[in-house]
Amino acid sequence: MKALLFKEIKLAMHPTTYLFMVIGAMLMIPSYPYYVAFVYTCLGIFFIFLSARENKDIFFTASLPVRKSDVVKSRIITVAIVELLQLAIGIPFAIIGIRINPNAAGNMVGIEANMAFFGLVLIMYALFNAIFLPLFYKTAVNVGIPLVFAGIAVTMYVVAVELAVQMIPFFKTHLDTTAPAMAKYQFPILIAGMLIFALALWLTFRKSAANFEKVDL
Amino acid sequence: MEILSVQNLNKHYPKLDLKNVSFNLEQGYIMGFIGRNGAGKTTTIKSIMRLVHPDSGMVTVLGKDFAAEEFSCKQQIGLVLGQVSYYPTKKISVIADVTRRFYPEWDTNAFVSYLKRFDLDPDKTVKELSDGMRVKFALALALSHNARLLILDEPTSGLDPVSRDDLLELFQELIENSERSILFSTQITSDLEKCADFITYIKKGEIIASTSKDDLVNSYKIVKGTRVQLTETLLPRLIGCKKNDFGFTALMRTDDLPTVDGLEVAPADLESIMIHIEKE
């Protein structure tokens, strides 16, 4: 597994994925729909699969002494690392963003970059992974169709949670704020996000590996 | 000792069926795997490596069941599918650095000496290599993890005659100490004349011969005759009969020769055997 992860980083990783990982800097923009910063990472992950396909990664990997399920596992771990690193890199930018925001009311066009937001982003990643990865491993070739389906799901999710936060008064006052007093309401969402992300990742791996096992390369 | 044994592989595809594909390869020999495009060569190789799932059948490598001990079997095999075209923009040294981590038996000194021998510059990227060099790079990787069985899918296709000859000589050298064996698929029969000990011939998913090259060549003869000689009784014994204005040319089993008289008989080579058999 270590050798496979080394291969992922050394060969399969697309340069733009690194660039998108630091795009958490967008959390410093005074008013912005912050989900957008993290949607870029979904694109970065898509690029990993696209460039791996164009570089015939499957045939390189197939000639190595590895199990098919390990091929899937190493890629999914890589995806999770990219997503979590991007979130981690986003945290200091979120803190700086709040300090330097010139608007007294905070983010005018969406949820504040607070703990609840990070939890909701984790659920967004869980959704993206759960749709994109098993669909991709059905063929191990098609990357476009899985991106379309995962993209639609992510868009609908983001619109739905953003609307809920803005329209439902309780959410608006408790979640769309950086007031320290509200942190106790936001923390459970972060924890829920982490749990959902982890559980979904495990199920995504199981389904993807089962799909890939059936593929004739 | 048997290094590779393939028994009754079956695989159904809409356009091709592998039917009871069976053959054995002994240690220290080169086996050529021939057949037309689409006859099932690559599918057979992929089924051996379990990259596609055969519907039934068994593969053993050095006596071990491939399905049960896939990991240790794969350690013994160097697989080259077509020309190396993966990661064309990466350097040889980077790909080797990734590859070596998968093999406990990797020998860095051996790799360096193979690079030197094959004139490969580790700082070159894959796309900078010629087709012949790419095959050599793949071989260098396989040999450095001490693969005992090299399975090469059309390694010589697209190479110029000189590079091809060079590669075939290398194949012979690699089996010299009788430890390694090579199975390589090709449609270029002259490659096999030069270096194969055994030939396995696949036609439409079925193995129609798997024997030593000499036995295969000797078991057929080319016969020529006039139109008058082409009788109803002779016709069923001819394989891939080609008629022209003066008469006919066909392939015939050597065993059938005593039953006919007055035909011009010439030794067959692999190419004519293949052409006539495929004409049937």
Side-chain angles (χ1 to χ4, degrees):
Chain A
M1 185 49 62
K2 246 169 74 185
L4 268 172
L5 281 173
F6 185 80
K7 185 220 89 187
E8 288 293 311
I9 291 163
K10 206 83 180 175
L11 296 180
M13 203 69 154
H14 195 268
T16 49
T17 312
Y18 291 110
L19 183 71
F20 289 152
M21 268 158 75
V22 295
I23 222 162
M26 286 168 84
L27 298 183
M28 293 194 304
I29 300 173
S31 280
Y32 194 72
Y34 291 133
Y35 287 103
V36 173
F38 297 95
V39 168
Y40 274 110
T41 288
C42 298
L43 208 56
I45 289 161
F46 164 74
F47 285 149
I48 297 178
F49 284 85
L50 188 66
S51 90
R53 181 187 73 182
E54 298 308 312
N55 282 304
K56 306 201 173 124
D57 174 76
I58 289 280
F59 288 102
F60 173 69
T61 314
S63 68
L64 297 169
V66 289
R67 277 194 300 267
K68 268 176 128 179
S69 67
D70 286 339
V71 174
V72 177
K73 197 189 271 176
S74 66
R75 177 60 56 81
I76 287 185
I77 291 175
T78 309
V79 165
I81 289 173
V82 168
E83 289 167 345
L84 294 175
L85 260 181
Q86 202 220 359
L87 271 181
I89 292 170
I91 292 170
F93 291 118
I95 293 168
I96 297 169
I98 291 162
R99 299 271 158 102
I100 61 173
N101 195 334
N103 300 319
N107 186 0
M108 310 295 281
V109 292
I111 190 171
E112 298 292 338
N114 55 29
M115 275 194 284
F117 169 70
F118 278 87
L120 293 171
V121 169
L122 279 167
I123 297 170
M124 180 186 91
Y125 282 155
L127 191 65
F128 176 81
N129 295 345
I131 294 171
F132 183 79
L133 296 164
L135 269 182
F136 170 76
Y137 281 111
K138 260 195 167 157
T139 61
V141 175
N142 296 345
V143 288
I145 299 286
L147 182 73
V148 169
F149 282 106
I152 291 171
V154 163
T155 310
M156 281 166 50
Y157 167 80
V158 168
V159 169
V161 284
E162 197 64 285
L163 279 178
V165 167
Q166 301 305 322
M167 313 286 267
I168 300 170
F170 178 81
F171 287 170
K172 179 75 185 158
T173 51
H174 290 69
L175 300 184
D176 189 13
T177 171
T178 52
M182 294 302 172
K184 64 175 184 282
Y185 295 100
Q186 296 169 2
F187 187 63
I189 295 179
L190 178 62
I191 297 298
M194 286 174 175
L195 291 176
I196 290 170
F197 179 80
L199 182 70
L201 196 66
W202 183 69
L203 292 173
T204 298
F205 162 66
R206 294 271 308 256
K207 183 73 188 140
S208 304
N211 285 354
F212 189 47
E213 200 57 58
K214 287 185 221 138
V215 174
D216 284 335
L217 296 173
Chain B
M1 189 185 174
E2 225 162 55
I3 200 157
L4 173 69
S5 161
V6 178
Q7 299 303 328
N8 298 315
L9 275 188
N10 284 286
K11 172 78 187 172
H12 172 74
Y13 275 116
K15 283 188 181 162
L16 169 79
D17 274 320
L18 287 190
K19 282 174 240 150
N20 292 319
V21 169
S22 305
F23 59 88
N24 299 305
L25 175 56
E26 295 282 319
Q27 203 167 316
Y29 292 102
I30 298 178
M31 179 182 273
F33 191 30
I34 55 167
R36 294 185 69 174
N37 288 334
K41 299 188 295 288
T42 304
T43 306
T44 302
I45 287 176
K46 286 183 173 177
S47 300
I48 291 172
M49 295 301 291
R50 298 189 71 76
L51 300 180
V52 306
H53 301 74
D55 302 326
S56 62
M58 181 160 176
V59 175
T60 56
V61 173
L62 286 162
K64 289 182 189 164
D65 178 6
F66 199 109
E69 298 181 59
E70 185 171 344
F71 185 76
S72 70
C73 287
K74 276 189 170 176
Q75 293 279 345
Q76 305 286 349
I77 299 176
L79 172 71
V80 184
L81 285 172
Q83 253 115 47
V84 181
S85 51
Y86 45 71
Y87 289 112
T89 57
K90 300 288 182 189
K91 283 181 183 172
I92 285 178
S93 55
V94 175
I95 291 178
D97 185 33
V98 170
T99 307
R100 73 180 169 86
R101 289 158 202 266
F102 290 89
Y103 298 97
E105 280 197 44
W106 182 268
D107 182 345
T108 303
N109 293 334
F111 182 68
V112 172
S113 71
Y114 280 119
L115 287 188
K116 210 176 257 170
R117 229 201 96 186
F118 299 158
D119 231 353
L120 285 161
D121 176 358
D123 288 326
K124 273 198 175 168
T125 61
V126 170
K127 71 173 177 192
E128 289 174 304
L129 303 178
S130 66
D131 290 342
M133 290 302 239
R134 287 183 193 187
V135 180
K136 286 182 177 174
F137 171 46
L139 283 175
L141 289 176
L143 295 169
S144 304
H145 70 77
N146 206 10
R148 306 272 297 278
L149 170 63
L150 300 173
I151 299 182
L152 316 166
D153 190 22
E154 311 219 350
T156 52
S157 70
L159 301 192
D160 67 76
V162 181
S163 317
R164 238 168 49 215
D165 189 66
D166 187 31
L167 203 60
L168 297 175
E169 263 176 33
L170 174 65
F171 286 176
Q172 276 174 319
E173 208 178 297
L174 292 176
I175 58 153
E176 252 165 22
N177 63 3
S178 301
E179 278 185 6
R180 296 193 196 94
S181 302
I182 298 176
L183 171 69
F184 80 102
S185 72
T186 182
Q187 346 156 353
I188 307 169
T189 48
S190 62
D191 287 356
L192 303 171
E193 309 268 7
K194 276 179 195 158
C195 80
D197 304 299
F198 292 93
I199 293 197
T200 296
Y201 185 167
I202 188 167
K203 184 183 174 188
K204 292 183 185 150
E206 280 183 275
I207 302 290
I208 57 173
S210 185
T211 174
S212 77
K213 180 176 68 189
D214 296 340
D215 282 353
L216 181 66
V217 171
N218 291 334
S219 63
Y220 293 99
K221 292 280 184 272
I222 295 285
V223 292
K224 288 180 187 172
T226 61
R227 284 267 178 166
V228 185
Q229 288 172 306
L230 191 59
T231 57
E232 286 298 317
T233 47
L234 179 65
L235 211 51
R237 291 188 209 128
L238 299 177
I239 302 166
C241 182
K242 286 194 205 178
K243 293 171 201 162
N244 56 37
D245 288 349
F246 310 105
F248 70 92
T249 310
L251 195 68
M252 217 170 160
R253 288 186 183 281
T254 310
D255 297 345
D256 283 343
L257 271 186
T259 63
V260 294
D261 254 344
L263 297 179
E264 191 184 321
V265 179
D269 59 12
L270 284 170
E271 182 158 323
S272 52
I273 291 174
M274 195 170 163
I275 289 170
H276 284 284
I277 286 181
E278 293 296 338
K279 200 167 178 283
E280 278 289 285

